[in-house]
Structures are given as structure tokens and as C-alpha cells.
Amino acid sequence: MEMISNVTEFVLLGLSQKKEIKNMCFLFFLFCYTAIWMGNLLIIISIICSQLSVQPMYYFLNYLALSDLCYTSTGTPKLITDLLEERNTISYISCFAQLFTMHFFGGIEIFILTVMAYDRYVAICKPLHYVIVMSRKKCNALVFACCAGAFLHSFALFYLTINLPFCGPNEIDHYCCDVYPLLKLACADTYNTGILVVANAGLMGLVSFVVLMLSYFLIFHTIRVYPPKSRSKALSTCSSHITVVVLFFVPILFIYIRPATTFPEDKVLTLFFFIIAPMFNPLIYTLRNKEMKNALRKVWCHQISLFK
């Protein structure tokens, strides 16, 4: 007999049930979300209003900042408002909409980070071919491919989970609707579905991470013969990106590369790529990048002078 879902809403247990902890988390996440918007909008406006937008590196950085804003906005506003509520619920439809959008924008971010590593590889290892390989037409094609790949990844996860029957209980031990917590609630055998989820989300993260590491291995192999000054300049352009990759990929791989199961630590680790990494990205890319700092100074000094 076919099993039909009779759950119309899910209860999100969140990070904690203690009021004092929830109040502290509310202030902290409100600050983080405000910083995410201010920092990433600052990067987007500065790149668009300066000459940096013609450079592929900053062209991709612009899309990374935009994907950061969209990605963290799929769940952070609800997380913040839920911290003020006694009982946190989300409708069946909203839960799966959140699942789809979260993995869609998260997938875009993963692919954009991978493309940025490829851009650095071409710039350092194939400098004579850089203008041809990373032309604006090809950059547009790469961004479109990132969006298409993220859509396929997200739709596959959405399709695998929405076809599962949910008969109760309906309490999700998380603050957002993710795949593994939902698999845990399904009233059916989810072993095969779990394997497909790992093959999708886990392998996508792992393959992207391997491509990233391979790109930087080739970069480090190439610059080993550079003079110290040139080597230092090449490393400075890569260090920011490597820092972002570590913050974003390490918790993702820990959660999605293992068999489909949940641990209490998952909720904390999710914060790293859901809130912490998007918040630190603008700081990492501006404080360690001379061109970005110059662009910020010129654009915003010009804007201030207009108001005087």
C-alpha cells in the first residue's frame, strides 16, 4: 500500500530551548545577518561602480557576494525570528521550498568558489592565455553553468525528499529544513534515498573541493620558481580565496560526505557555512586585497564628496 504524508507542518527544535541562550543567539545572529548584508552589498556596489568589474576575478567575486546574500537569506531571517517564539513551526510547503532554495544558492556558491580557483590557476599558470580563456563571454558561460549545476543538484535533493511519506512525528532537530533531518522523520525505509543524497550532495562537495585543491597545487608548483616578490604577490591573491574555501568546505564535507545520519554537532557546523562564512567573506576579500581596498576608498570617498 502506498504511504501518504499526513504531516502539514514541521516543528523546528532550533539551537536551544533555554530562553537565556535564545536571547543571546538572537542578538548574535541579528548582528551577523546585518553584517552579512552590509559587507556583501559594500563589495557588490564597489565592484560595479569601479573598474574592477572588467576583471574576471572581481566579476566572480561580485556573484559570490550576491550568492552569499541569497544563500544566508533562505533561513537566517526565520532563525532570528524563531528565537523570539516559544514554538517554532514551518509549513510543509515552506519547508521544502527552503530546502530547495538553500541548496540551490549553496550550490551556486560552491561552484563559484571552484570557478574562482580555476581563474587564479589560469592567471598564474597560463598568463599569456588568460585574456582569451577568461573572456567576458566565457565568464558569463561559467556563471550560467554554475547556476544550472546548482539547480540540478537542488532539484534532485528536493525530488528525493518530497516523495517520502511523513506520518509523524514532525519535530525536526534543527533550525532549518535540511535533507538528513527530514530523512530521519520519514516513515519509510530511506537507506537507498540516503545513498543517493550522499552521491549528490557529498560527491558534489568532494569533487569541487578536489578541483580546488588541484588548482592550488598547480599554482604552488608553478610559483615555486618565481622571485620572492612575485611569489609573495601571487600568494596574496590566493590566500583570501583559500581562507574562504576552508571556512565553507570543511563543515560541508563533514556533514554531507558521510552516510545519511544526523549528529547534534551538525547544527553548530551548519552555522559556519550558513552564517559565519558569508559574514567573513567581505572582510577576508577586502582586508587582504589591495585592489579592493583602493576601490572601496575611491567609490565611497566619491559618494561622500557628493553629499558635501
Side-chain angles (χ1 to χ4, degrees):
M1 184 181 296
E2 184 180 357
M3 302 181 73
I4 301 174
S5 298
N6 56 19
V7 171
T8 57
E9 68 175 16
F10 295 99
V11 178
L12 299 172
L13 298 182
L15 285 167
S16 174
Q17 297 301 313
K18 295 182 179 179
K19 190 172 182 180
E20 296 80 7
I21 296 177
K22 291 175 73 173
N23 289 338
M24 287 190 295
C25 287
F26 170 78
L27 294 174
F28 176 70
F29 293 133
L30 182 62
F31 167 79
C32 290
Y33 191 54
T34 304
I36 288 168
W37 269 91
M38 291 178 63
N40 284 288
L41 280 178
L42 195 65
I43 282 184
I44 292 170
I45 295 171
S46 298
I47 291 176
I48 291 175
C49 297
S50 68
Q51 296 300 316
L52 292 180
S53 58
V54 301
Q55 299 182 39
M57 175 182 173
Y58 298 101
Y59 174 81
F60 294 127
L61 178 57
N62 191 38
Y63 279 100
L64 179 67
L66 181 60
S67 65
D68 270 339
L69 288 178
C70 296
Y71 177 53
T72 194
S73 294
T74 59
T76 306
K78 179 164 178 57
L79 167 61
I80 293 172
T81 55
D82 282 352
L83 289 168
L84 299 177
E85 303 291 338
E86 292 294 329
R87 188 171 183 269
N88 308 322
T89 61
I90 185 170
S91 69
Y92 182 89
I93 295 175
S94 297
C95 182
F96 282 95
Q98 185 184 69
L99 171 71
F100 177 82
T101 54
M102 185 172 68
H103 280 275
F104 174 63
F105 291 114
I108 290 177
E109 185 152 356
I110 287 175
F111 291 133
I112 289 289
L113 285 170
T114 308
V115 168
M116 289 176 75
Y118 174 69
D119 169 71
R120 292 299 85 205
Y121 160 74
V122 176
I124 295 172
C125 301
K126 309 284 184 181
L128 298 179
H129 304 282
Y130 183 70
V131 176
I132 298 173
V133 175
M134 301 305 293
S135 64
R136 181 47 57 93
K137 184 177 180 181
K138 291 183 179 178
C139 288
N140 290 333
L142 286 170
V143 171
F144 177 79
C146 290
C147 295
F151 177 83
L152 293 175
H153 153 72
S154 183
F155 181 79
L157 293 181
F158 174 82
Y159 181 80
L160 286 171
T161 50
I162 202 168
N163 285 311
L164 292 171
F166 296 93
C167 315
N170 66 337
E171 291 185 341
I172 299 178
D173 189 15
H174 216 297
Y175 45 81
C176 61
C177 289
D178 205 359
V179 182
Y180 287 172
L182 285 170
L183 291 181
K184 191 176 180 180
L185 295 182
C187 50
D189 183 10
T190 60
Y191 178 77
N192 291 332
T193 304
I195 292 176
L196 292 175
V197 168
V198 172
N200 181 317
L203 283 182
M204 183 192 78
L206 182 61
V207 170
S208 298
F209 187 71
V210 169
V211 171
L212 279 161
M213 292 299 101
L214 180 61
S215 298
Y216 281 108
F217 173 79
L218 295 173
I219 289 171
F220 294 149
H221 181 74
T222 301
I223 65 175
R224 78 189 194 285
V225 296
Y226 281 18
K229 188 175 180 179
S230 299
R231 190 188 310 137
S232 177
K233 183 179 179 181
L235 286 173
S236 67
T237 62
C238 299
S239 59
S240 301
H241 190 251
I242 294 173
T243 306
V244 171
V245 166
V246 171
L247 277 174
F248 195 75
F249 272 87
V250 171
I252 283 180
L253 291 177
F254 179 81
I255 292 175
Y256 293 109
I257 201 63
R258 65 173 191 248
T261 184
T262 59
F263 295 121
E265 297 81 7
D266 290 353
K267 290 189 284 186
V268 177
L269 287 172
T270 302
L271 293 174
F272 277 90
F273 56 83
F274 200 51
I275 295 177
I276 304 301
M279 181 178 67
F280 279 109
N281 282 0
L283 287 174
I284 293 169
Y285 278 110
T286 53
L287 295 179
R288 298 179 62 87
N289 190 303
K290 188 176 179 180
E291 288 183 311
M292 271 303 303
K293 285 191 284 188
N294 289 336
L296 286 168
R297 192 179 299 113
K298 289 179 181 178
V299 170
W300 296 103
C301 286
H302 176 68
Q303 294 298 322
I304 291 172
S305 65
L306 293 176
F307 286 101
K308 290 184 177 179

